[in-house]
Amino acid sequence: MDTYHFLPSRDLEHASSYTPLPDSPETRHEPDPDRSKTNRRPIKIVSSVLLATLIFSFVIFLLVNPNVQQVVRKKVSKNSNGEDHNKASKSPEMLGPPSRGVSQGVSEKSFRQATAEPSYPWTNDMLSWQRTSFHFQPQENWMNDPNGPLFHMGWYHLFYQYNPDSAIWGNITWGHAISRDLINWLHLPFAMQPDQWYDINGVWTGSATILPDGKIVMLYTGDTDDLVQVQNLAYPANLSDPLLLDWIKYPDNPVMFPPPGIGSTDFRDPTTAWIGPDGKWRITIGSKVNKTGISLMYKTTDFITYELLDNLLHAVPGTGMWECVDFYPVSVTGSNGLDTSVNGPGVKHVLKSSLDDDRHDYYALGTYDPINDKWTPDNPELDVGIGLRLDYGKYYASKTFYDQDKERRLLWGWIGESDNESTDLLKGWASVQSIPRTVVFDKKTGTNILQWPVKEVESLRSRSYEINDVELKPGSLVPLKISSAAQLDIVASFEVDEEAFKGTYEADASYNCTASEGAAGRGILGPFGILVLADDPLSELTPVYFYIAKGVDGNAKTYFCADQSRSSTASDVDKEVYGSDVPVLPGESLSMRLLVDHSIVESFAQGGRTVITSRVYPTRAIYSAARVFLFNNATGVSVTASVKAWQMASATLKPFPFDQL
């Protein structure tokens, strides 16, 4: 059994700036010698030509119809917020840290906008401050995708992609932690390690399915010794163990190989299974054909043998490789979450994909036909990959699960780093998980979901601050007297002066958060909001704000943005402006909620219609120097603001106390 230790004190300033991953016989995982490669099942046997006929036809159609592809690509080259899908793509020749993961067929794991070496003289205090206090993260080293979350015998289980050797991506193993309340966590020994030929290059993303008899099956992607992506089965060794400490890999893995017409590195991340009207289980797996993102469909009765269906669940040209696909129902009438197998009247289905090309999570609402196993979007203009995003900031590879204990759908997301890889090696860790969010259908708009932090996070609220009806005239800045502003839960509402608003005939009709000058760019009706992680002289600040644009037709459009451009004096960190438009219905105040936890700010607008996660790395606005301000940088309208804020206690994250059993 693994032995755990608390993270020791580090001399971060004088640590080595770069430590390559170990590649010695002592540290490298080797395949099971008892598992002969001769036991592998040939791909042609597992995936018959008959079942793959439609995929072949689909490939041929795309190849011989370049005009169709070109028209579609032109149509979807920008999303609904005006952002270029290829904006985040970087050429391999660019200067920066080495690429991580791409050669093995997964999305880029390095933040490659940073320079090759840190240009800022980080200190121990600065880097130590960045570690969060109530978000989940391991004690040290690299973490990425959340995997197979589930609730079992009174415990929430979170599995996650983890590198036990370093703070950079590699040697991907399944970390494991448990919690009673989703906030305070106990670290357990690794659930699965890359120790078989079919996952020797990584135990990658997977999903849990709880069967009607209570059994748990875990499907996950393994990267083989030949760098082929295959799907594998695992299950608990002892279902009566509430900790689920031991996992068994099915002896005859893999259970699925890439079918003909699908690339060996384009076949990953199986979903939670759902049961259809024929009594068979379905799963879907992300892939691509040329630049068309697709979701393959499989049926099974035993989770060992699988039938590849002739049809795709869905496909969207121009969106590239789909990974970490998620598919689940939401009630259009109720407020509870739904088990993944629920369908029928009053139900819509969310289809979500993480796009390998731009590293964002997109979703769409639609209707699932369980007879033909097809999903159709409600609005084709807001299809997966070209419309709505789950989060407009630093957020990827998200995963939901149905919490049968509290009848809710919960969402996890990986919050990666956006600083320099060398800096991550100095501090000894990289990445955190988001605060779990509930997901429900927005019954008011009917066009989106609502995401909201789980109720349990409010248990960390301590001292509160409240200020009401503060008039913010154009150009005003009001400090909030909060003694410690690095760990906060902030709820704020804003009322725009109605007379001034009606008197404005046109204002920045073409506004776009990401292309704007951020909070420094003044317009008639915005920006206004909150500055967090700011210091007194405002040499560092992270504004989260609303901006109202108004067309000549009198129609207004509200934007919700988070500005990182002045968040740090360091030059080797991301300083983008994030955001998108947010629906605001007649009679609604503008409202936001911010969870501030050191280097992370999670921002929710209008009850969670639009969400932004920011990673910021201040050098001055840290510890007791961190401040909060209200601001209105509009030129033509006054705003009335009301704010309630709570200081947040730290969550408990520690090894499970096996010595006390």
Side-chain angles (χ1 to χ4, degrees), residues 15-22 100 163 165-168 421-422 425-426:
S16 172
S17 63
Y18 181 80
T19 305
L21 286 174
R100 308 283 179 194
N163 181 358
D165 298 329
S166 178
I168 57 178
E421 182 180 274
S422 299
L425 286 162
L426 285 178

Side-chain angles (χ1 to χ4, degrees), residues 627-642:
R627 301 283 185 267
V628 181
F629 297 82
L630 290 170
F631 79 96
N632 177 15
N633 211 24
T635 61
V637 67
S638 294
V639 177
T640 301
S642 295

Side-chain angles (χ1 to χ4, degrees), residues 11 75 181 185 280 373:
D11 184 359
K75 180 178 179 181
D181 60 7
W185 291 90
K280 295 183 179 181
D373 287 301

Side-chain angles (χ1 to χ4, degrees), residues 80-156:
S80 61
N81 195 36
E83 296 175 296
D84 190 335
H85 277 305
N86 296 319
K87 180 179 176 182
S89 299
K90 302 295 175 185
S91 66
E93 294 80 15
M94 73 166 288
L95 295 177
S99 176
R100 308 283 179 194
V102 174
S103 63
Q104 290 179 249
V106 292
S107 60
E108 179 63 67
K109 305 305 181 191
S110 291
F111 179 69
R112 306 202 70 211
Q113 296 176 21
T115 55
E117 292 296 331
S119 58
Y120 192 85
W122 296 99
T123 67
N124 287 337
D125 283 346
M126 293 174 190
L127 295 178
S128 296
W129 179 89
Q130 292 177 13
R131 191 169 177 88
T132 63
S133 289
F134 57 88
H135 283 73
F136 176 81
Q137 60 186 129
Q139 291 183 287
E140 57 185 345
N141 295 330
W142 169 275
M143 174 178 65
N144 54 290
D145 306 9
N147 293 150
L150 58 89
F151 181 82
H152 176 69
M153 296 182 68
W155 292 98
Y156 291 100

Side-chain angles (χ1 to χ4, degrees), residues 198-250:
Y198 52 77
D199 61 13
I200 194 64
N201 280 303
V203 183
W204 289 353
T205 292
S207 300
T209 300
I210 301 178
L211 305 183
D213 61 2
K215 292 180 180 177
I216 299 170
V217 294
M218 193 77 75
L219 290 173
Y220 72 93
T221 298
D223 191 23
T224 75
D225 51 1
D226 293 327
L227 302 181
V228 176
Q229 294 171 9
V230 296
Q231 311 313 316
N232 303 305
L233 171 64
Y235 39 85
N238 180 7
L239 199 61
S240 64
D241 174 15
L243 305 185
L244 298 177
L245 285 175
D246 298 314
W247 288 79
I248 297 173
K249 296 177 182 178
Y250 176 57

Side-chain angles (χ1 to χ4, degrees), residues 134 183 435 453-461 593 648:
F134 57 88
I183 303 300
I435 294 297
V454 291
K455 183 74 173 176
E456 288 90 335
V457 76
E458 297 174 15
S459 66
L460 299 177
R461 288 174 172 175
R593 182 180 180 185
M648 298 290 277

Side-chain angles (χ1 to χ4, degrees), residues 414-461:
W414 166 39
I415 304 174
E417 301 294 328
S418 55
D419 61 352
N420 196 297
E421 182 180 274
S422 299
T423 307
D424 297 337
L425 286 162
L426 285 178
K427 65 188 181 186
W429 60 272
S431 304
V432 303
Q433 299 294 337
S434 66
I435 294 297
R437 304 169 184 174
T438 58
V439 177
V440 297
F441 177 73
D442 187 348
K443 292 188 285 290
K444 292 182 179 179
T445 65
T447 58
N448 54 270
I449 59 172
L450 297 173
Q451 304 171 62
W452 200 246
V454 291
K455 183 74 173 176
E456 288 90 335
V457 76
E458 297 174 15
S459 66
L460 299 177
R461 288 174 172 175

